[in-house]
Amino acid sequence: MIPISRNNKNSGHLFPLIQRQILSPPLIIIIPSSKMIHFVLLISRQGKVRLTKWYSPYSQKERSKVIRELSSLILTRAPRLCNFVEWRGFKVVYKRYASLYFCMCINQDDNELEVLEIIHHYVEILDRYFGSVCELDLIFNFHKAYFILDEILIAGELQESSKKTVARLVAAQDSLVEAAKEQANSVSFIISQATK
Amino acid sequence: MNPFSSETRLRDMIRAIRACKTAAEERAVVRKECATIRASVSDNDNDYKHRNLAKLMFIHMLGYPTHFGQMECLKLIAAPGFPDKRIGYLGLMLLLDERQEVLMLVTNSLKQDLNHTNQYIVGLALCALGNISSAEMARDLAPEVERLLLFRDPNIRKKAALCSIRIIKKVPDLAENFVNSAAALLKEKHHGVLLTGVQLCTDLCKVSPDALEYIRKRCTEGLVKLLKDVVNSPYVPEYDVSGIADPFLHIRLLRLLRVLGHGDADASDCMNDILAQVASKTESNKNAGNAILYECVETIMSIEDNSGLRVLAINILGRFLSNRDNNIRYVALNMLMRAITVDSQAVQRHRATILECVKDSDASIRKRALELVYLLVNENNVKLLTKDLIDYLEISDQEFKGDLTAKICSIVEKFSPEKIWYIDQMLQVLSEAGNYVKDEVWHALIVVISNASNLHGYTVRLLYRAVQKSVDQEVLVRVAVWCIGEYGDMLVNSVGTLGIEEPITVTESDTVDVLETAIKHHTSDLTTRAMCLIALLKLSCRFPSCSERIQDIIVQNKGSLVLELQQRSIEFNSIIQKHQNIRSALCERMPVLDESSYSIRRAGSLPAVASSLQGSAVTLPNGVAKPSAAPLVDLLDLSSDDAPVPAPSQGNDFLHDLLGVDLSSGLSQAGTNQTQKSGTDALLDLLSIGTAPASSSFSALDGLSLGQGTDTSISALSGLASTSTAMPATQPSSLVGNSPMVDLLNGFGPSEQIQAEENNAAYPSIVAFESNNLKMTCNFSKQPGNLQSTLIEANFINKSSNVYTEFIFQAAVPKFLQLHLDPASSNTLPASGDGSITQKLRVTNSQHGKKSLVMRIRIAYKLNNKDVLEQGQISNFPHGL
């Protein structure tokens, strides 16, 4: 396993840095039944939800219940134990990166070790995208974290194993948005000029 | 204001929310934001749509309702620009799920976007479709997705492939449309497309046997070659994960090969070499490598038999098991559990290591390991494994003890080679973790002990020693108390000593000490204390020298606040004092409990309410013939919840308790047999004879006991108490006499003669109670529309020639009834039927239609200034009240 660096406490609520090849473990991804990953959860050490992605149908009520149950299950586990907890007949693979737990829910007979790699894959891509990602990045740019996740997983299955490709695709879409923004800016500028 | 500068305002909101110190503050901020967003939505304010939706998503994540934003998503998706669509689709996936009808409205937009010229927009649509499509949408949009599998850009092809997985899972009959294009994806070079293509093929094979056949025939060789290429590929930085090129692709290829090789020898043959190569060459010092090995082992285990490969696989698991990484050990345990069906011998070799894992500090690992050990136990290793587990029980965590105890007990019961071993192990478990042992388990233990007649002495001595050390283990104390009650004399006389025992000298008073400690110990609950009382009663007979001391202990409980104990101690005390002649018979040792019927019962029925009369009753530890399906549970008749509300403890109660009969069962039978029954004779109920002759119930009672007394060597009461067959209802006709039973009843006289009087009213009046001096009749009426409640008018008539003064009538009913007594018409009852007292009662039956009324009564009055007390039970109420 890649050694994990934990940032010291003075970094506040910041998500600790993920250095090249060094990931601290706080993202949570969980996925339910017929698919590989049923859902992905990102929970902070304090139990705040930072990201949720549901690939199996859960009603709003069930979702909050799942989050509550898992937070209490996972946040209370001592360090150095294995990264798997059994829950309602599923397995939740979790890994802590600094102040965040990344959790993914899979079926009993799925490959837990691979899911750990997927979590790590996602964290590395986030790290590259934000440049030493921290929890605050994921709070204020939560939609970006979702966009990136959508380039990695669809329907609970992995879609891309190349970090470079994911980064390229996200960047391309970001620049499309930027371009549209500029265009709009200029248009609104023109309009505001015209209406003066 | 430009629509894309929303970012600042979103940031402001997040900051404001984060600055909140309390939940109430946060709610206030969110409420305000939501109000603004709603206003903006109803103004149809295009400039802020984008920003509003982003805010809503954040609010949604915090767990607040955001349904009013759903339509906004749809509007944004329908907008022309990429930025709007991007956030719109994100909102769609976040705020909605496939079960919401709103989703149908988006199908059209999706269809347009799937055909869009901008590939990123196509990508967005595919992603949304893949994540939340319902079966209807899947059906509608399948042709588009199918077409996109051939799209020029690989990034669209891979998304289309995953989308197809969702579609075929939602609508399996569409599978055949995708087979050709899916197989074509396997020839791609782009890893993303390969990855998703392989996954799509795997899922196709799972939903459609035709697809499986097709892919197996056409693609197996290609896949094997592909895996070879990937395994041997040089370093590619883009896909490298800790020295392995694209482990994700490895894993998916191995998984597809597993599906193809399963049940097909040719395909399995084809992949042997590459599997051997993966299994032996993959680096196992990093997680990625282990993930591949995991998948490889799984594949080897499920394809057609190749013993060489299997050895390789089991060895890998052995290495995993001794790995220091907890994750690896966890998966090893998991996989060994599956491997056990394939090759249990090989798994047995790792027994020692697995046993170590049971003692791990990680709860997930412990749990897995315990499950696995359980599967590994067989006749040969049971002694070894049990010893180890029991040793560990001593030091294990509290929260793990429950699981561990249950498993050990189950192993011991299932595999015990001999009784003495079984008893030894169970006693050890009880000493270590008695409080975690389930009731069925110690009940079964008692049955076994009772059957092992040559071990009675040994067991009781062992228990005597154990209970000195572990006073806090309630269940241990119970078993010890039971055994001491039954076999206490063997303890003192060292009867039946086995060679392995250390000699021990126990005096009679030592034995009583144990019981006294147990009954007084603060942790002892009602069951334990009640068992102690019975044991004391039995000992009082066996140890005449201690009789007085025992009586003292019993008398101490006379003041107990728990009715059950109070009652028992009063009753037992009276047996010791007044009924020497029957005491020894009463305190006979229990007849041997029937193992087979007990185990059948255990397997076949939940301990619940007694039901069948016909089934042969089981002999219970305290000697009661009982038709109940709850053999030992009710042994002490502690189900007082169901039993009628405690009336002052005399008379009927006495016998009930002595016989330990669950009164409620008797009563429910009484209910069903009401018409044939003579009524209030509790004893018949007790004996579960529902079909007693309707006439003289009391002579039947005598007959029963006497009949038993003469038929068997044991005397009347214990005959009643311990017969293991239901009492034949015909017997009573033969004998009439004055049995000890009557004594026992302490003159609680012939109060229960009943004649069922037929009245023509809706409910016939009954004579509810009659004694030499008193007669009580009841009339019933119901208020229309309220079936549950019944008005009862009770009339009391004095049959004697003396006036009764201070006449008080009291009644008690079981919990399912509610009773309300109105004041009586008078408290003086004139002599010789020269007037009567009328008492109105209102009874509400919460189980109307299921259970019949039943009532216990007590009548107190003064006759020539002397207190007289009469009591009885009314169970001959008409049906349907």
Side-chain angles (χ1 to χ4, degrees), chain A residues 82-83 86 111 114 155 162, chain B residues 131 238 252 295 327 330 362:
Chain A
C82 70
N83 294 84
E86 288 168 30
N111 187 336
E114 190 205 355
S162 157
Chain B
N131 283 345
E238 195 176 347
R252 275 167 190 69
E295 212 62 45
N327 290 341
Y330 176 88
D362 187 330

Side-chain angles (χ1 to χ4, degrees), chain B residues 30 246 624 749 814-815:
Chain B
V30 169
D246 207 340
V624 177
K815 279 192 179 160

